[in-house]
Amino acid sequence: MTHNPAAEPLSAEPQEESLGALVANATDHISTLVRAEIELAKAELRFDAKRVGTAAGLFGAAAFMAHLCLILASFAIAYGLVALGVWTWLAFTIVTVFYLVVAGLLVLFGVRKLKGLAGMRRTMRSLKSLKGGEPDGLATVGASQSAGQVGSHREPVSPDR
């Protein structure tokens, strides 16, 4: 006759593990899971970093080629002006002044964008209040305020500046 362990009656009491053993077992499983997740994140980051590096190199090469094309186009425009009867020195000066005006406008727009930076005022105020132990207004919001009034003491954040 063959032996069938499933047909045997189970013991009256399942083997009980102590609380310490269960906690140790859970801790071991959690640390294994965390290590596995970290290894997965490292592998994904390595793969993504290689792709980003390759893409950055390709973008750099494309920018270099576009810069060479801009230089050649500048010469073509200058010699086109010469063909129209403009003196050679004046044609090259016109092209140079055009690029200086474009560069100046780009700097002006860039400076205007930088002036709109908030400088993380809200974050710094929040950190100072945490450091000093003062409430920053979040705990003072009471039930008597309506939904439109909650957060009205905060300064608005507008990403368009």
Side-chain angles (χ1 to χ4, degrees), residues 14-157:
Q15 192 176 28
E16 291 185 22
E17 293 185 46
S18 69
L19 181 61
L22 289 173
V23 169
N25 205 5
T27 304
D28 184 46
H29 288 310
I30 290 172
S31 65
T32 302
L33 177 65
V34 168
R35 272 190 244 117
E37 288 296 324
I38 290 173
E39 287 302 317
L40 176 63
K42 283 181 184 178
E44 286 179 335
L45 187 61
R46 232 178 276 122
F47 178 72
D48 288 347
K50 286 179 185 177
R51 289 181 69 184
V52 167
T54 302
L58 292 173
F59 284 138
F64 178 73
M65 298 295 279
H67 184 254
L68 291 178
C69 289
L70 180 65
I71 292 170
L72 291 174
S74 300
F75 277 102
I77 292 169
Y79 282 121
L81 290 173
V82 169
L84 291 175
V86 178
W87 294 316
T88 305
W89 66 269
L90 184 60
F92 279 90
T93 304
I94 290 171
V95 172
T96 302
V97 168
F98 170 75
Y99 285 127
L100 286 174
V101 168
V102 170
L105 288 173
L106 291 173
V107 166
L108 178 70
F109 292 143
V111 167
R112 290 181 71 193
K113 287 288 186 184
L114 286 177
K115 282 186 179 179
L117 292 177
M120 297 183 358
R121 282 185 240 136
R122 291 175 62 188
T123 303
M124 292 304 291
R125 189 174 354 164
S126 175
L127 288 174
K128 284 180 184 177
S129 69
L130 287 174
K131 185 178 178 183
E134 304 167 4
D136 64 345
L138 292 177
T140 61
V141 175
S144 63
Q145 291 180 328
S146 69
Q149 293 172 335
V150 173
S152 62
H153 62 284
R154 299 264 185 204
E155 60 188 62
V157 175

